Amino acid sequence: MTGHGHGHGHGIPDDYLSGYAHLLEAVATTGRRLTRDEIQDRRTLGEQAAEAGYGLRALVGAHLAAARAHWPGTDSADSVLAAMEQAVDAFAEGYERAQRLAVRQEAAARREFIDDLLYGRSDLGRLAERAERFGLRLAHTHAVAVAEGAAAYDEGDAVPRAVERALISRFGDRSILLTTKTGRLVCVVPGDQDDEVLGYFAKQAFAATDGGRVAIARPRPGVGGVVQSYEEALNVLDLAERLDLDDPVLRASDLLVYPVLTRDRQAMTELVLSALGPLEAARGGAQPLIDTLTTYFDAGCVAAEAARRLSLSVRALTYRLERIHRLTGADPADPVHRYTLQTAVIGARLLGWPATTF
């Protein structure tokens, strides 16, 4: 039963049933069980059939059809059936082993591609070729969103799987890549779909991570665009942490002023020390007064609202603002002074001052 013909109407080449009829005949004659070598041969054929891409149901069907076609002329049906069971079980074991190996290899290739993609490693032309295998056309524009929760996530965890199911259910196969990196969820989509798909991803990720935070970067063109967009999303998450931003979904396009403010670190450092440095002379240090200014500015410079948020009386808040005025020479209620103080407060939070000394 060798050759390349297709056996018994199942579309399975006879190669994968090689020696099977002879095996049944030998067992029917002697009543013996399959030898270790015969079982290993079946396993090997199962591995080869899996690697060739044939389905297990069709392969088992071909074995049953071959057994019917070549049933030995014997009354010993029990022996033949036992041999069939042994042979098919060994064949399926080999098939499943090959499939597990293929899945591991595919997962390793995907992980390596994602690492290269998000870190900008590897030759860009080669990276673009590999990307098509995973549904991305890197010559086009792409946008990235990154979600983080209280826990760290791996690709196989329930949270990423739930988000991926929701995306596939809503959008089907739209060249969306969902993965994890350093415990966060990462979603890469074509730039012309970023608003719709990434907005939905943000909603699903927020729910699945039980109130996590999502950063949506701007679309960027070309092979290196994914890296730039990914890094921008990470910077937004870092910014949100430093500034204690409580919005669950943060768009880089809404926060462009902050990178501008910190681009010249030396100038920002000088502004912080010049405008806020005198607050270190206050009893309790500068931090409580910086927190007061932060809340005052976040409340739209409405004293009553700021006092409520700080659990202070309006009189106590007013006293703090007057103390800031005395120490710094800048009046938070004056529009010109206010801009300088507010910029310095943002700078202090971005630079981690006064906890970090310059």
Side-chain angles (χ1 to χ4, degrees):
M1 192 178 282
T2 59
H4 294 280
H6 289 279
H8 313 289
H10 286 267
I12 302 298
D14 290 339
D15 302 45
Y16 303 116
L17 301 168
S18 176
Y20 181 56
H22 177 73
L23 202 63
L24 297 182
E25 183 70 41
V27 169
T29 303
T30 63
R32 66 175 177 81
R33 292 178 65 78
L34 270 60
T35 66
R36 184 177 299 173
D37 286 345
E38 287 168 341
I39 287 175
Q40 183 55 46
D41 286 344
R42 296 301 110 193
R43 287 194 189 114
T44 300
L45 289 171
E47 289 177 3
Q48 293 170 354
E51 290 165 0
Y54 292 101
L56 185 58
R57 284 180 61 189
L59 289 162
V60 170
H63 278 77
L64 295 177
R68 281 198 301 272
H70 301 281
W71 190 268
T74 177
D75 295 331
S76 182
D78 285 350
S79 295
V80 177
L81 288 173
M84 283 175 60
E85 182 180 6
Q86 271 190 293
V88 172
D89 182 67
F91 187 92
E93 183 187 349
Y95 184 96
E96 289 169 356
R97 186 163 60 192
Q99 278 205 319
R100 284 194 299 272
L101 178 61
V103 167
R104 284 199 298 271
Q105 289 173 336
E106 177 70 12
R110 175 183 160 91
R111 190 73 256 165
E112 183 182 4
F113 164 71
I114 287 165
D115 288 345
D116 290 348
L117 176 69
L118 297 182
Y119 285 146
R121 294 197 298 253
S122 180
D123 170 73
L124 294 182
R126 176 85 182 101
L127 192 64
E129 287 177 20
R130 290 159 64 201
E132 295 202 16
R133 175 180 170 190
F134 299 101
L136 296 181
R137 296 185 178 275
L138 293 185
H140 300 170
T141 298
H142 286 84
V144 178
V146 179
E148 63 182 6
Y153 306 106
D154 288 323
E155 268 194 349
D157 292 346
V159 166
R161 288 206 311 270
V163 175
E164 186 169 37
R165 279 196 302 271
L167 285 171
I168 292 172
S169 175
R170 174 75 177 267
F171 300 109
D173 181 14
R174 281 214 207 164
S175 301
I176 300 169
L177 175 67
L178 183 70
T179 185
T180 58
K181 191 69 186 164
T182 60
R184 301 181 178 104
L185 277 65
V186 179
C187 186
V188 182
V189 303
D192 59 350
Q193 300 174 24
D194 64 307
D195 281 345
E196 182 185 12
V197 179
L198 292 185
Y200 188 74
F201 164 77
K203 180 180 177 183
Q204 296 299 318
F206 178 74
T209 58
D210 195 23
R213 180 182 279 152
V214 185
I216 300 177
R218 292 170 294 164
R220 300 294 179 93
V223 177
V226 173
V227 182
Q228 293 173 328
S229 196
Y230 172 65
E231 289 178 348
E232 184 175 65
L234 293 183
N235 288 337
V236 167
L237 289 176
D238 180 60
L239 193 66
E241 185 70 27
R242 289 170 182 268
L243 295 179
D244 197 25
L245 303 176
D246 55 9
D247 291 346
V249 180
L250 299 158
R251 292 184 176 272
S253 56
D254 296 334
L255 301 169
L256 292 177
V257 67
Y258 296 108
V260 171
L261 290 175
T262 55
R263 194 156 290 153
D264 188 339
R265 186 183 179 92
Q266 183 60 38
M268 180 56 78
T269 300
E270 290 174 6
L271 173 64
V272 169
L273 293 178
S274 171
L276 303 179
L279 298 181
E280 291 191 289
R283 192 185 328 154
Q287 192 62 59
L289 296 178
I290 290 174
D291 293 341
T292 299
L293 283 172
T294 298
T295 305
Y296 179 64
F297 294 137
D298 287 347
C301 300
V302 177
E305 175 60 18
R308 186 189 66 78
R309 294 185 187 185
L310 289 166
S311 301
L312 296 173
S313 67
V314 174
R315 183 175 178 179
L317 175 76
T318 303
Y319 172 74
R320 285 193 186 184
L321 294 177
E322 288 172 352
R323 191 152 38 127
I324 290 167
H325 187 186
R326 283 198 309 274
L327 288 168
T328 65
D331 182 1
D334 179 277
V336 176
H337 292 176
R338 183 188 308 157
Y339 178 77
T340 300
L341 283 173
Q342 189 165 11
T343 305
V345 165
I346 291 170
R349 294 167 74 187
L350 290 172
L351 299 174
W353 186 86
T356 301
T357 55
F358 303 135

